[in-house]
Structures are given as C-alpha cells and as structure tokens.
Amino acid sequence: MAWRVLPIPVLLTIAIAVAGCGDDAPADAARTKLPKGAGPTRQVAATTGVDAHVLARGFRQVTGLVREPGRRGRTLVLEQAGTARWLDGDGPAAGAPFLDLRSVTKSGGEQGLLGLAFLPRTGTRGPQRVVVHRTGLDGDTQVAIYEVRDGRVAPTTAKVILDVEQPYANHNGGAIVVGRDGRLYVGLGDGGSAFDPRDNGQNLKTQLGKLLRYDLDADRPRWRIAAYGLRNPWQISVDQRTGDIWIGDVGEQTIEEIDRLSYRRTQDVAPPVNFGWSAFEGTRRQPGKDLDESGPLAWPIASYTHANGCSVTGGVVVRRPRGGGSAAPRALLDRYVFGDYCSGRTWSVPADGRRHPMRREPARVPHQSAYLQDASGRVLVGTTGGQVLELR
Ligand SMILES: [Ca+2]
Ligand SMILES: [Ca+2]
C-alpha cells in the first residue's frame, strides 16, 4: 500500500481488500538466513505517556515538515498542491506562502510537492537556496534548486538537477534531505502500479526504487545510488547526531518497514546496500522476483504487519538539541519515532542501530504524513487533514 490521500470509504475498501489478501507466506518461499530479531518486530507497551496534542490547524494536505537552518529556525509546512507555508503559532503565517509552485506541479493521489530541503550556505554571501522534489505537470519526478529572494522562493531561478520519467502515478517517494556530509539524499519509489511490474527495485540501471545521493560540491555533480531495493520511501530523515539515514518504506499488501542506512554506509557506497524490494516484502520472499546480490542485503530495523495499519510514515530520531532544548520529550530521547497513516498508531525504537522491540506509544495520529523535531526540540507530526500535532 502506498501513502495516499484518500477519503475514508476508499480506505475502508482497501482495508477489506487487504484482509482478503491473506497473510500466509508462499509455500515455496526461498529462505535467506535472517539475522536474530529480523522479521515482524515484537511490540511492547509504553510505560510513559507520550500523547498527541493539536498545535496548529489550517494547512492543506501536509506532505512534509522542514526545519529552517539555525538555532531558532522556523518550521516550514509543505502542502501537496505545491505550496509551503511557515508555521506561526496555531496556524499558517499570514500573507503569501514561502513557496508557490502550484502552476508547475501535478497534484493528487501520491503526486504533488513531496520534499524540500534548505541547502547548506557556502561562504557568507549569496542567496539562501532550497532544493524541491515535486511532480511535474507531465507526471514525472523533478528535483530543482531555487534561490530565496525577499523571503520567498523565486520560481524563475529553477535549476533542474533530476528529471525521472514515471511509468505510473503512484510510488514517487517523498522527502529530500541534506546528509551530515552536506550531500543531498532523495528516495524514489519503484515507479508504481503494484508488485513492481518492471522490477525496478533490484535493477541498478534505473533510478527508480533507489536512495539517490548528489554531491553539490563536486566538479561535475551527478546522482549516484546510495541504496537500492526500495518500494516507496515516502519519508526519510537524518539522525542529527550520527548522520544515519532512516527510511520509512511503504509495503505492498502485508508488511510495513523501517530501514536504516548507517552514516558509514553512506560514505562507503560501493556496492550500495540492498533493502530487498521487490525480491522481499519486509523479510518475506516474493515468489518469481529476482534478487540482485551485488550489494549487501539489509533487513528492516523494525517492521509490522497490516494487522497494525496499512502505510508506514517514516519519522525522526529525537535528540536533545544543542544548547538545551527543554521541549524535547524525555520519553522519546535517543529514539526513532514513527507511525502508520491508516491506523494512526505510533511507535518508537532506540536509535542505536540495533534491533529492538517496537514500543507502542499511546499517541494516535490518523492520516499522519510527516514528522519533524523542531528547533526547540518539540516533536511534530503533520497530517493530510491539515493539522500539526505535538507529541509530548
Ligand atoms: Ca510513479
Ligand atoms: Ca525491504
């Protein structure tokens, strides 16, 4: 199931269809040796009371939450149609949006404005720049760099750095992030439809189904594959302390998963890590799908079945911000918190890179679509219903 913006009746239909799909492993499933603890993760109840509180309303179809650089950086809310507006108190800041690319963005379903990141400033002069991931009017993936002028993104400054033809409307990936190494990382889905009909996930000759890396400072920058075997990496984030990249990879019909690419692995990418899709859904072998064995196979660091939801929303590693940040919820410190779009459930796991049971948090956020730890340390969750909530 992909991340989707659907009315409730459609979601119910999907839930019924999923229930009818059955949960049995194929009898002829090839068994690749699993490390201890891989496979659907054991769940334990939280003993702390982290709950969700509505902080702001009035946004439309939130597709991302982005922190402005700097110790007092504001929170930018991405909206699917192609706009981004600052969070100001209990709603969007008044006036024209910070970004408005609606006239060049195809929006709806899994298309639209999918990701934005502030580029590191090189030198002390020069305009602030952002990089934007969105669906072009032709339905293709576009990533472009823009200058910020007079406090707003200037559409005429677009410099396209990635343009990928999309065979289907769904599975377009989402977030674009700046790694601890200053390079760009974006996750692209397998192209779409269902069960990866073109086998893009395991094909190292296509950019679909990959985590891609781009070195802005290279003499002749180009996109390289940082990891492969992804189905729809809708939300990804960087652990601000370690530089590890955490990926929520949306599952097909049975298993939702969280993947982790260690910082070391982002720096040592030959061969790139293989997250398995579509040879595997989670740790379940997909019959008739080949595995490209050139890269090391990495199992999910956490996963759950559709008894718990239908579409994972990748989250954030919660850290105590530099300089204090008393708003960081103590119960979530040094943990990765994430959840499910359909059930609204939230979980957390320790962010040490080992496999642990998933701790079920009391907070429930239906239609959750994005996570962020803001400059003051607060843990925020955006929804396609246009709300921003705080977990505390
Ligand atoms: Ca697609
Ligand atoms: Ca996988």
Side-chain angles (χ1 to χ4, degrees), residues 229-231 249 257 259 274-277 280-283 298-300:
L230 292 166
R231 180 177 174 279
D249 195 19
E257 69 177 71
D259 297 310
N274 183 2
F275 286 115
W277 178 256
F280 288 88
E281 182 186 15
T283 51
W299 301 113

Side-chain angles (χ1 to χ4, degrees), residues 228-240:
Y228 66 106
L230 292 166
R231 180 177 174 279
N232 194 22
W234 155 237
Q235 292 297 2
I236 66 177
S237 64
V238 179
D239 181 339
Q240 296 303 315

Side-chain angles (χ1 to χ4, degrees), residues 110-111 139 141 165-173 189-193 208 232:
E110 300 178 17
Q111 299 174 315
T141 286
E165 191 178 339
Q166 284 288 345
Y168 305 98
N170 58 346
H171 303 186
N172 304 315
D190 63 9
S193 186
L208 297 171
N232 194 22

